[in-house]
Amino acid sequence: MEAVSDTTGTRDVLREHRSKAGAGGHFRALQGKCTSLSFPVRCMTSMNFKALLFGLLTVASIGCSESPAAAASVASAPAAHLVPVPQSAKTHPGELGLSAAVKLDVDAAAPNARRTLEEALAGLGIAIDDAAATRIRLQLTDDAALGEEGYRLVVADDVQLSARTDVGLLHAVQSLRQLLPAQAQQAYRLPRVEIVDAPAYRWRGLSLDVARSFLSVEYLEKTIDRMAFFKLNRLHLHLTDDQGWRIEIKRYPKLVEIGGASAVEGGRSGWYTQEQLKHLVAYAQARGITIVPEIDLPGHVQAALASYNELACDDVENLSPYSGLEVGFSVLCLDKPDVVYPFVRHVLEEVLAIFPSQEIHVGGDEIKHPLYADFVARAAAMVDEMGRTAIVWEEGSVADTKPDVLLQLWNDSYDIAAAVEKGHPLILSPCSYFYIDHGNYAGQPQTYDWCRKEGVPLARLYSFDPAPFRTAVGIEAALWTELVHTDEAADNRLWPRLAASAELAWSPAGQRSYEGFRQRMGALRTHLDAMGIRYHPEPDLGWADAETEAAAP
Ligand code: TNX
């Protein structure tokens, strides 16, 4: 049973769960409350821009064009529609024509940028030919101002992309893709632009819950490609929960044999082999994305308890797999440290051997237990000893951890001030903006509304301001899958909202405006179509005509 709150809710839950105990059965009830109200949240009333939209869409020019004269003179030239909007962009008169072939000149130390560019050109039917008139140059430079991920993109008489790293060049290539059409054409026209760009935040993420309902490796690959197009760089996989355990742990094979075979009711079961996960890690890395694994502990562990009953406190056998929607009822038996901590260590050792990510998520949400803070401190210290840095959900701020432990904020009103004072970096996922299991519009079928009863429409998400969070490292949208059981439904919840989230994390506040985003994103629709995305038919972008079956689970 869940108490639905008003505009920006906290997750007040009375969770009741029935689990079988031997021949009989018992009930456990636990009252949890995600607490306290101190952080101010901007509650925008839902806006309706439909009437304005089509007029605005016709005014197609780059959001940050610097000179009015240049803007006027490029009126007939192709427009630069970029999402996220770059830090700075100057448009110049005229255009650069590209024909059937280009000459490539690529620094050997940028293999990922090269491959991405070659694939993009091949997709457009543009050949690579040393004798071609126009050159595209990818160059590593030592311009410290660009940072690790920044880049310059200049379209003049040829196309010059430069950056300090392969990742920076990858981002430059993605911008070039956005300047080009999505489909092959006879000839191409590029606007003459000079872009200097770098991200506002180093953490630009998506959290995907593959535990409630499984998502295939193929779907994750597609999602990685699409994320890269918008310069997102962290894919957080919520690999374990009550309803399923999705990561093979060789030392504990029953975790996937039993825990991988269940799912939320109506959802998909399944699990990933370690080989598949290593493949995904490499696939993502080649696209500038780090996969961040989460093993949710010490709660949300029914799938683990069902697999290895000795991890539970009760002297029971055959703890059953769980397929309901409740949360907060299962916990590792913290009164048996000799059982629990070796288990946690062994699991983490295998997880770390698969995922090179510096940050490793150990969960820590929605559990009340006298030994909770002790557990979080020990788990975070374990990760630290293994040379990595722990992430825990906001509740973990009660634990005595090193200040470099990252906290992931998810209740808008959680009192995080003391943790910020201690210096903890924050990943921002306040639910009334970034829980995209909530509706694209109020009342969307198969969506939650416990955090915000009007759902999380595109305009609402875009209105978030990360600036007040002094220690924020970035933003992460979260797609929980209790109610998302197909790839189509996942696409519908993710897009276009994930692109808005990418812009908030990448672009400086001074360049952002919802009107500008609507124009630029509206113009990228053909790219989303080309990528096969089953996006929400978002009226604010003029996409209401899009066919969708995705309201279904
Ligand atoms: C809260 S956010 C949860 C998840 C649910 C989600 C549903 C968090 C740390 N816990 O377990 O899936 O709400 O919106």
Side-chain angles (χ1 to χ4, degrees):
M1 178 170 85
E2 295 195 4
V4 177
S5 63
D6 199 358
T7 306
T8 54
T10 52
R11 193 165 159 87
D12 285 347
V13 280
L14 173 64
R15 298 108 172 184
E16 201 173 68
H17 170 61
R18 179 171 193 181
S19 67
K20 278 190 212 141
H26 64 270
F27 284 90
R28 257 182 264 166
L30 181 147
Q31 180 139 32
K33 187 167 161 57
C34 304
T35 44
S36 108
L37 292 151
S38 75
F39 172 72
V41 175
R42 286 199 306 169
C43 303
M44 254 179 53
T45 50
S46 87
M47 294 190 285
N48 187 343
F49 287 108
K50 276 181 216 164
L52 279 173
L53 180 72
F54 286 100
L56 284 168
L57 278 174
T58 56
V59 187
S61 71
I62 191 161
C64 49
S65 185
E66 290 188 351
S67 121
S73 66
V74 297
S76 64
H81 292 111
L82 296 176
V83 174
V85 65
Q87 200 175 66
S88 98
K90 288 182 195 156
T91 52
H92 297 291
E95 62 187 55
L96 173 67
L98 283 188
S99 54
V102 292
K103 180 178 165 185
L104 271 201
D105 180 356
V106 183
D107 197 308
N112 292 324
R114 169 192 279 274
R115 190 193 33 76
T116 307
L117 177 61
E118 286 176 350
E119 281 173 13
L121 295 174
L124 293 174
I126 301 175
I128 296 165
D129 181 351
D130 279 348
T134 313
R135 182 176 69 158
I136 301 181
R137 183 162 190 219
L138 271 67
Q139 188 183 18
L140 288 170
T141 59
D142 203 16
D143 183 351
L146 294 175
E148 284 303 291
E149 292 189 275
Y151 68 92
R152 290 167 62 89
L153 165 55
V154 180
V155 179
D157 292 336
D158 58 13
V159 181
Q160 300 230 26
L161 283 58
S162 54
R164 288 180 67 200
T165 61
D166 194 7
V167 168
L169 283 175
L170 262 173
H171 295 320
V173 170
Q174 298 298 359
S175 290
L176 181 59
R177 281 181 70 195
Q178 293 192 359
L179 295 180
L180 287 162
Q183 306 280 5
Q185 312 202 340
Q186 296 287 32
Y188 299 90
R189 299 157 61 221
L190 282 173
R192 289 183 182 254
V193 288
E194 209 180 317
I195 294 169
V196 183
D197 201 9
Y201 289 100
R202 76 172 180 89
W203 195 283
R204 305 179 303 280
L206 165 66
S207 170
L208 275 183
D209 172 9
V210 295
R212 269 55 177 267
S213 186
F214 186 67
L215 291 165
S216 67
V217 170
E218 294 69 35
Y219 185 76
L220 294 184
E221 286 177 356
K222 269 196 230 171
T223 303
I224 287 165
D225 289 336
R226 296 159 177 185
M227 287 171 70
F229 188 70
F230 293 101
K231 304 185 176 70
L232 290 158
N233 69 349
R234 290 290 189 289
L235 176 58
H236 162 183
L237 291 181
H238 183 76
L239 289 163
T240 67
D241 213 301
D242 292 314
Q243 297 86 346
W245 184 285
R246 308 291 176 216
I247 171 173
E248 175 188 29
I249 302 293
K250 298 204 170 165
R251 190 168 183 138
Y252 302 105
K254 287 193 289 183
L255 286 171
V256 289
E257 282 163 25
I258 296 173
S262 56
V264 74
E265 197 175 343
R268 299 184 287 204
S269 60
W271 50 278
Y272 310 108
T273 64
Q274 295 198 354
E275 281 314 300
Q276 286 175 318
L277 290 169
K278 284 179 188 160
H279 159 78
L280 265 182
V281 164
Y283 188 93
Q285 222 161 29
R287 287 152 184 83
I289 293 172
T290 302
I291 301 192
V292 181
E294 179 187 355
I295 306 296
D296 199 353
L297 303 165
H300 289 263
V301 289
Q302 182 70 13
L305 304 186
S307 308
Y308 290 95
N309 293 171
E310 60 271 29
L311 295 169
C313 274
D314 304 345
D315 192 14
V316 290
E317 284 176 10
N318 303 323
L319 272 167
S320 57
Y322 179 68
S323 61
L325 297 177
E326 283 139 22
V327 293
F329 58 84
S330 66
V331 62
L332 294 175
C333 186
L334 302 180
D335 303 314
K336 294 199 286 191
D338 297 345
V339 175
V340 162
Y341 288 102
F343 171 78
V344 172
R345 178 177 297 279
H346 294 145
V347 168
L348 286 177
E349 276 167 4
E350 292 197 32
V351 169
L352 267 57
I354 300 166
F355 297 96
S357 170
Q358 177 59 35
E359 291 88 1
I360 303 290
H361 207 310
V362 291
D365 58 320
E366 299 186 304
I367 200 73
K368 296 264 174 197
H369 191 287
L371 293 173
Y372 167 79
D374 179 55
F375 176 86
V376 171
R378 289 179 69 166
M382 228 184 251
V383 172
D384 187 70
E385 280 161 29
M386 296 175 180
R388 311 288 182 94
T389 311
I391 309 172
V392 289
W393 293 106
E394 63 195 15
E395 298 98 307
S397 64
V398 300
D400 183 16
T401 60
K402 285 179 144 181
D404 64 345
V405 166
L406 291 95
L407 299 172
Q408 188 162 6
L409 194 66
W410 62 282
N411 278 294
D412 294 40
S413 51
Y414 189 84
D415 187 357
I416 205 71
V420 168
E421 223 22 65
K422 269 179 67 186
H424 285 289
L426 299 181
I427 297 169
L428 304 175
S429 307
C431 57
S432 82
Y433 296 90
F434 297 110
Y435 270 29
I436 52 177
D437 61 345
H438 283 51
N440 284 290
Y441 56 90
Q444 181 175 9
Q446 289 295 118
T447 61
Y448 269 142
D449 66 357
W450 64 263
C451 180
R452 190 168 187 270
K453 67 180 186 318
E454 303 89 342
V456 181
L458 185 66
R460 163 71 184 180
L461 189 153
Y462 196 87
S463 72
F464 181 71
D465 178 13
F469 298 90
R470 194 164 50 79
T471 59
V473 292
I475 290 175
E476 199 173 280
L479 182 59
W480 304 97
T481 55
E482 286 100 324
L483 305 177
V484 178
H485 305 152
T486 64
D487 295 353
E488 288 74 16
D491 270 12
N492 171 278
R493 307 301 183 268
L494 288 170
W495 305 103
R497 289 183 293 182
L498 192 56
S501 185
E503 178 149 310
L504 294 178
W506 178 284
S507 307
Q511 299 292 7
R512 295 193 316 255
S513 76
Y514 190 52
E515 289 71 23
F517 175 75
R518 284 192 301 146
Q519 290 173 38
R520 290 176 283 103
M521 192 62 207
L524 290 176
R525 179 178 183 177
T526 49
H527 283 273
L528 269 61
D529 287 332
M531 289 188 276
I533 298 179
R534 308 287 298 273
Y535 46 80
H536 166 63
E538 174 56 55
D540 276 8
L541 301 179
W543 296 355
D545 60 315
E547 274 185 32
T548 180
E549 296 142 34

